[in-house]
């Protein structure tokens, strides 16, 4: 597709798109098309039928392309983008040493820029929705909302409701008042969907854990909590409550369809049963497991038991195809090899959890994640006329294992063309990256970040120095 195609797709008014195939929940439908109007899929069906039904619309033919749902990132930290590489080589549970001080060093401009930079990376990687678990930056959370809105990405926006360390117990009711206001603040918004968040179960009082669950359930929103992610966190909960973190949340009435448990890498059989029985959702974050050395969530077992889960980046890298591949790959290494499971859920499991499943767990299953009539037109045009995918035998699995970000020709959110060949269509991406680099240096210099592992260059120099000392 060329510049004229881009200009037409970016124009106002309804569209009739005719790709080679449309990726439906049942699989790819060859020869199908979609019509888009007012930000939604107006119709999805065989191309010849749609062309007859809409003679007033010029058909935009998209040879060599598949139209598929956009990826949904079920767990992100948008204002941490300035320090993504600070986590490399670090031992697990780094939030106190890296993320808290880094976000604490952000002012309004740097928080906005960090969040918009994360949104840019996400859209370049095919994500049309990101789920922000709440910023610790000392700014109004609407700064993050503005960044997502200006970038053009759909955002489930968390408000942190931690209150366990409140110096004055009289401040704790204010947390719930703020939560109620946040849930009502974005009524009528097209791209911003409010959510509540608690960093870890021990960061909130039992009263607040129960109350946020109730508020979110009544509002049709979700509460995001990092749960059973680290061994240290599990052990702290056992010492404090005599219960593991997920068991503790169950005991205070916080489990349920409104809870989105981030990571959930260390689950006992009983905890899997609790998830299944309560309808609690999980964000499976396989890249974070590998980068931080966490355990790998038993996602294939979750799928078998009907536990709701989506896929999250945890801010590691904004690439939907590589996330889906990591989801399958981690299951194969952690569980499949030991049991001789050569399928590990097959390609369709991970592709579905990356879009429709992700939309479900973040509370947007009725709005996005699927190419279907009435759903938000959040989708990708993916070039499949490439060496990686042209010789296709099993497109869903090929997209998981061989798809890559460079094949994404266009990203649409709410029916609008937002990204074309990796560049924003409505704002200056390179200019943002330049400004982000300037602000990031200053923010990291201000932050009291404590790293255990040196940079790659420093590590190599240290090893060589040790080798020389040994030789002498």
């Amino acid at each position: 597709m060329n510049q004229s195609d881009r200009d037409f797709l970016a124009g106002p008014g309804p569209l009739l798109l005719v790709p080679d195939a449309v990726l439906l929940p049942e699989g790819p439908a060859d020869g199908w098309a979609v019509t888009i109007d007012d930000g939604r899929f107006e119709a999805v069906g065989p191309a010849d039928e749609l062309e007859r039904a809409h003679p007033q619309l010029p058909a935009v033919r998209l040879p060599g392309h598949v139209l598929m749902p956009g990826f949904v990132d079920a767990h992100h930290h948008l204002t941490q983008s300035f320090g993504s590489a600070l986590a490399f080589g670090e031992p697990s549970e780094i939030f106190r040493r890296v993320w808290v001080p880094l976000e604490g060093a952000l002012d309004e401009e740097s928080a906005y820029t960090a969040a918009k930079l994360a949104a840019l990376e996400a859209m370049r990687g095919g994500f049309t929705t990101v789920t922000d678990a709440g910023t610790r930056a000392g700014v109004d959370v609407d700064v993050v909302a503005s960044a997502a809105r200006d970038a053009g990405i759909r955002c489930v926006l968390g408000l942190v409701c931690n209150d366990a360390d409140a110096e004055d117990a009289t401040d704790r009711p204010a947390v719930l008042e703020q939560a109620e206001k946040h849930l009502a603040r974005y009524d009528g918004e097209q791209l911003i969907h409010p959510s509540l968040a608690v960093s870890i179960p021990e960061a909130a009082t039992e009263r607040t854990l129960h109350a946020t669950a109730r508020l979110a359930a009544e509002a049709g929103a979700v509460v995001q909590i990092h749960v059973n992610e680290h061994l240290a966190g599990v052990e702290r909960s056992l010492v404090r409550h005599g219960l593991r973190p997920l068991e503790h949340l169950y005991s205070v009435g916080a489990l349920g369809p409104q809870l989105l448990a981030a990571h959930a890498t260390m689950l006992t059989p009983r905890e899997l049963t609790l998830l299944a029985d309560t309808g609690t959702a999980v964000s499976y974050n396989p890249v974070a497991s590998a980068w931080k050395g966490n355990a790998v969530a038993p996602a294939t077992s979750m799928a078998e038991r009907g536990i709701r889960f989506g896929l999250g980046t945890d801010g590691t890298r904004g690439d939907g195809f590589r996330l889906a591949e990591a989801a399958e790959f981690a299951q194969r290494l952690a569980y499949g090899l030991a049991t001789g499971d050569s399928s590990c859920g097959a390609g369709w499991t991970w592709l579905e959890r990356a879009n429709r499943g992700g939309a479900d767990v973040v509370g947007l299953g009725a709005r996005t994640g699927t190419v279907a009539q009435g759903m938000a037109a959040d989708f990708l045009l993916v070039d499949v006329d490439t060496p990686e995918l042209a010789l296709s035998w099993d497109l869903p699995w090929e997209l998981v294992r061989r798809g890559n970000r460079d094949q994404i020709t266009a990203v649409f959110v709410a029916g609008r063309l937002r990204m074309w060949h990796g560049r924003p269509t409505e704002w200056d991406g390179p200019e943002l990256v330049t400004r982000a680099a300037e602000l990031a240096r200053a923010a990291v210099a201000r932050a009291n970040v404590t790293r255990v592992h040196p940079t790659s260059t420093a590590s190599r120099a240290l090893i060589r120095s040790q080798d020389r000392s040994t030789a002498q």
Side-chain angles (χ1 to χ4, degrees):
M1 291 188 284
N2 54 35
Q3 182 66 29
S4 62
D5 295 318
R6 173 202 179 281
D7 293 342
F8 187 83
L9 292 171
L15 292 171
L16 169 56
L17 305 184
V18 186
D20 283 354
V22 175
L23 189 64
L24 305 175
E26 301 78 23
D30 294 337
W32 275 41
V34 303
T35 59
I36 299 166
D37 195 14
D38 195 27
R40 297 185 177 275
F41 291 112
E42 183 184 67
V44 180
D48 55 353
E49 293 182 10
L50 264 59
E51 290 186 63
R52 286 196 299 270
H54 301 275
Q56 78 284 6
L57 292 180
V60 182
R61 305 201 180 276
L62 307 166
H65 283 76
V66 62
L67 187 153
M68 63 175 285
F71 293 113
V72 175
D73 187 344
H75 185 64
H76 205 314
H77 295 273
L78 296 178
T79 55
Q80 292 179 3
S81 65
F82 284 0
S84 295
L86 292 175
F88 294 171
E90 292 295 298
S92 193
E93 203 173 39
I94 60 173
F95 66 95
R96 289 189 176 92
R97 294 184 292 104
V98 176
W99 301 128
V100 170
L102 175 61
E103 288 183 300
L106 300 179
D107 58 18
E108 187 167 303
E109 182 188 8
S110 55
Y112 172 90
T113 304
K116 194 171 183 181
L117 180 71
L120 170 60
E121 182 186 357
M123 286 193 295
R124 277 170 46 81
F127 289 100
T128 52
T129 298
V130 290
T131 306
D132 182 71
T135 184
R136 299 181 185 89
V139 300
D140 189 326
V141 72
D142 195 55
V143 170
V144 180
S146 296
R149 192 186 299 116
D150 293 347
I153 198 167
R154 192 176 300 280
C155 179
V156 177
L157 181 66
L159 174 73
V160 175
C161 299
N162 299 348
D163 69 340
D165 294 332
E167 294 182 4
D168 186 345
T170 59
D171 291 339
R172 288 171 180 162
V175 170
L176 298 179
E177 293 173 10
Q178 292 164 4
E180 288 189 83
K181 291 178 181 178
H182 178 71
L183 290 174
R185 185 175 189 177
Y186 298 97
D187 281 350
E189 282 264 4
Q190 184 181 52
L191 297 182
I192 309 301
H193 310 277
S195 162
L196 304 180
V198 173
S199 299
I200 50 179
E202 65 202 70
T205 60
E206 294 183 3
R207 174 179 181 270
T208 294
L209 290 172
H210 178 80
T212 51
R214 175 182 56 81
L215 289 172
E218 291 173 353
V222 297
V223 181
Q224 305 175 56
I225 308 180
H226 296 77
V227 179
N228 290 47
E229 180 184 5
H230 308 284
L231 180 59
V234 172
E235 291 178 344
R236 279 196 303 270
S237 183
L238 286 168
V239 170
R240 179 176 298 186
H241 304 292
L243 298 168
R244 295 162 64 86
L246 193 71
E247 293 173 330
H248 174 57
L249 291 174
Y250 177 71
S251 74
V252 300
L255 296 193
Q258 81 291 333
L259 178 62
L260 176 56
H263 298 287
T265 62
M266 297 178 168
L267 297 176
T268 64
R270 167 172 165 72
E271 287 171 313
L272 285 170
T273 297
L274 289 177
L275 290 173
D277 289 351
T278 60
T280 300
V282 170
S283 176
Y284 165 39
N285 309 322
V287 180
S289 289
W291 284 15
K292 294 194 287 186
N294 295 346
V296 175
T300 46
S301 294
M302 292 181 193
E304 180 63 26
R305 299 186 62 167
I307 294 169
R308 302 162 54 232
F309 72 91
L311 307 185
T313 65
D314 196 25
T316 51
R317 62 181 178 225
D319 190 319
F321 287 115
R322 292 187 72 183
L323 178 63
E325 178 194 26
E328 189 250 344
F329 193 54
Q331 292 302 298
R332 185 170 302 278
L333 291 180
Y335 305 105
L337 293 181
T339 60
D341 182 355
S342 59
S343 175
C344 285
W348 65 267
T349 296
W350 312 112
L351 200 58
E352 181 176 272
R353 301 294 175 168
N355 45 62
R356 184 168 61 157
D360 169 53
V361 304
V362 304
L364 299 181
R367 187 185 298 260
T368 188
T370 309
V371 179
Q373 183 178 14
M375 299 291 281
D378 300 345
F379 65 94
L380 314 177
L381 296 178
V382 178
D383 184 358
V384 293
D385 191 17
T386 64
E388 294 83 4
L389 296 175
L391 306 180
S392 178
W393 303 100
D394 186 341
L395 183 60
W397 213 337
E398 288 157 4
L399 288 170
V400 168
R401 286 195 169 178
R402 294 173 64 81
N404 65 77
R405 179 169 58 190
D406 293 344
Q407 292 167 242
I408 301 173
T409 298
V411 178
F412 283 75
V413 181
R416 287 172 57 178
L417 179 64
R418 310 286 184 167
M419 189 77 59
W420 180 261
H421 288 286
R423 286 182 174 262
T425 58
E426 300 173 324
W427 50 279
D428 192 332
E431 181 181 47
L432 175 79
V433 173
T434 299
R435 182 58 177 155
E438 297 169 352
L439 293 172
R441 293 187 189 96
V444 173
R446 290 193 301 270
N448 186 26
V449 171
T450 302
R451 297 186 67 197
V452 174
H453 198 279
T455 65
S456 295
T457 302
S459 178
R460 174 189 285 186
L462 177 63
I463 291 172
R464 287 178 173 174
S465 174
Q466 291 171 339
D467 289 344
R468 285 194 296 269
S469 297
T470 301
Q472 291 171 358

